[in-house]
Amino acid sequence: FDPDLLAHLARAFVQACHSSPELFDTLARACEAKMDHFKPRNLSSAALAFSSARLSSPVLFDAIARKSVSCIDQFHKRDLADTALAFANAGHSSPALFEALARRSIASIDQFSPAELAKTARAFAQARHPSPQLFDALARASTAKIHQFDPDLLA
């Protein structure tokens, strides 16, 4: 079993703009059944793929949230930003997940790229998840790296 293949398949259908609710339901059930095999990168990839498909899968997102919280300290900075953005785009509320993402992001904020800083800020704002400590950390890190920001990120 390879969790990456499920996310790759889902992303391929999204990129092809081909809606297949039956396939996505099957993929969601497969992901839920094998969630114990998912690593942080698999979790964020699956969440991104399903949020991009714009198909509701609350049971899957709940399973991803639970698994993510349980292994949040293994998440790399990219996985943190991607997971937050996927949940925000899906409109799936998970306060426990966002608290864990905020805590882990604060701990590693100095390692974030400008794009990851912007993506994290946008995700938390879009999800309407208040996290003053995270936004303070994002502001400090963004100020320190402002010369590295691409002009498109500043617009």
Side-chain angles (χ1 to χ4, degrees):
F1 175 79
D2 185 351
D4 277 335
L5 293 178
L6 296 177
H8 290 307
L9 182 60
R11 261 188 310 221
F13 274 76
V14 168
Q15 288 174 340
C17 298
H18 187 85
S19 178
S20 180
E22 183 180 349
L23 171 65
F24 277 85
D25 286 344
T26 301
L27 288 172
R29 286 192 303 278
C31 288
E32 292 162 32
K34 300 292 188 172
M35 193 58 58
D36 288 343
H37 299 281
F38 280 59
K39 294 186 175 12
R41 183 76 233 147
N42 306 134
L43 294 166
S44 63
S45 291
L48 280 171
F50 276 83
S51 70
S52 297
R54 306 221 187 277
L55 296 170
S56 179
S57 188
V59 174
L60 174 62
F61 275 88
D62 287 343
I64 291 172
R66 281 191 305 278
K67 177 68 175 180
S68 296
V69 169
S70 76
C71 64
I72 198 71
D73 290 331
Q74 298 170 24
F75 272 59
H76 294 285
K77 56 192 177 108
R78 177 181 170 198
D79 302 326
L80 295 166
D82 286 349
T83 302
L85 190 60
F87 272 74
N89 286 342
H92 190 86
S93 178
S94 181
L97 173 62
F98 274 88
E99 286 302 316
L101 289 167
R103 179 181 51 78
R104 180 73 173 120
S105 294
I106 291 167
S108 57
I109 201 80
D110 292 334
Q111 299 168 4
F112 277 40
S113 69
E116 290 158 345
L117 293 168
K119 190 185 295 187
T120 301
R122 185 173 56 133
F124 273 77
Q126 184 178 329
R128 299 196 190 309
H129 186 84
S131 184
Q133 297 90 352
L134 174 62
F135 276 93
D136 287 345
L138 287 165
R140 279 192 303 277
S142 296
T143 300
K145 295 181 179 189
I146 199 69
H147 63 283
Q148 298 174 19
F149 275 74
D150 182 304
D152 290 337
L153 293 175
L154 299 174

